[in-house]
Amino acid sequence: MSPTSAVTPEAPWPRAEPAALTPGPEQEQLRETLRALLAKYSGIEQVRAAAESAAGYSEPLWRRLVDEMSVTSLAVPEEYGGVGYGTAELAVVLEECGRALVCEPVISSAVLGVQALLPAAAATADLFTEVLDGRSLATVGTLDPATDALRARSDSTGWRVEGTVTHLPGGDTADLVVASADTPQGRRLFALRPGPGAVRSPRRVLDPTRRQADLTVRDCPAVALTTPESTPAAIARLHDLATLATACENTGIVDHLLGLTVDYVRTRHQFGRPIGSFQAVKHRLADLLVELERARSASRYAAALYAESPDSARLAVAVAGAVCTDAAVLAASEAVQLHGGVGFTWEHPVHSYFRRALGNEAAHGDSRTHRARIADLIGV
């Protein structure tokens, strides 16, 4: 669903920098602590092994991320059991997760799942607490009628849902699914817990570290999260949050790939000198550095603005989506080429990052999609 078609007077482009734009000591400490944790438990071989496991991620690392780093509760208000920070702090977490290529359900459950349930936390207290504690994994569908082909009806026991949801991140293991469904009164968002009769059909995807599955349910109990009137705004906000989360992760990917490539060209010698000393290589790396700074500025600004006013951040989020997607795809392509022959082997780490960059682009839109959204928002 497209966000608001134009920047309205009620949600103008801000005239001053958001207060959360400049990293403070707490954000820097969060980054350092999380980077050290992921360096120890999320190296590339550990990531690949976890992705091939039955769960598709490392359950011990997930518990550490929840218990030690509070990834699920970081941006949840204190009155709901959270830490009380916002998306600026989430951006730090997502950048570092992108750097380490984590396959744990940080975006699908800790960010989108929690934030989808938060507005209805009172009505979904047990479900919300389970996801907040990391005991249950949540995932969010695309919220598009073309992929969330669900129908809902209410009876004396509550809502019942049937149909199929496709392209669910982590859909083969998720305990809770947030999806949109048609009702006699209009489309609404629902939280449903697939029972034993649910059919999960894993999809073949480009990025094996981020699985997808189709889910078919029949007569499945569900909890309504929105009314028909509030559903469009809720869907637009979740789309913005998904774009922002992916932009932050892509920024971390670019950061890591640039560092990895610079280290390689410093040590790889050709014609008696490091290949990084050749002007052509220097220019390509300089271009990547520019892309990294653009991506970092765009994603951090959007995250800081979203923390203050999600509706006012819509344009900044679309810009971050376009800039960071281009940067990640370019960085992955350049990393493969600048690593030479070894960069073209599937065993090299850059290929896993290459797959993640392309997977993110396919799942959340390429730069043309985000630029079309920018055009809509500014009324072009």
Side-chain angles (χ1 to χ4, degrees), residues 2-155:
S2 298
T4 305
S5 60
V7 179
T8 64
E10 292 77 15
W13 185 263
R15 297 181 181 276
E17 288 185 353
L21 182 59
T22 303
E26 291 181 335
Q27 291 183 3
E28 292 303 325
Q29 184 178 9
L30 173 63
R31 185 182 301 278
E32 292 172 5
T33 304
L34 183 56
R35 186 173 296 188
L37 177 70
L38 295 178
K40 184 175 182 180
Y41 296 107
S42 190
I44 188 61
E45 295 305 324
Q46 292 164 305
V47 169
R48 288 173 170 174
E52 293 174 358
S53 68
Y57 65 95
S58 168
E59 295 175 284
L61 177 55
W62 173 244
R63 287 301 341 156
R64 287 188 172 92
L65 290 171
V66 173
D67 297 337
E68 299 176 23
M69 302 307 304
S70 302
V71 295
T72 53
S73 57
L74 193 65
V76 174
E78 294 181 26
E79 58 265 33
Y80 293 107
V83 179
Y85 288 111
T87 47
E89 288 73 27
L90 272 182
V92 173
V93 171
L94 292 165
E95 277 188 33
E96 293 306 313
C97 288
R99 282 177 53 88
L101 205 72
V102 299
C103 54
E104 286 62 45
V106 176
I107 290 182
S108 60
S109 188
V111 178
L112 295 178
V114 168
Q115 295 300 317
L117 293 171
L118 182 58
T124 61
D126 293 339
L127 298 177
F128 181 70
T129 300
E130 289 180 14
V131 176
L132 199 64
D133 292 344
R135 290 179 285 124
S136 291
L137 297 182
T139 188
V140 180
T142 64
L143 310 181
D144 185 332
T147 54
D148 288 8
L150 296 175
R151 299 169 302 281
R153 58 181 175 81
S154 60
D155 56 26

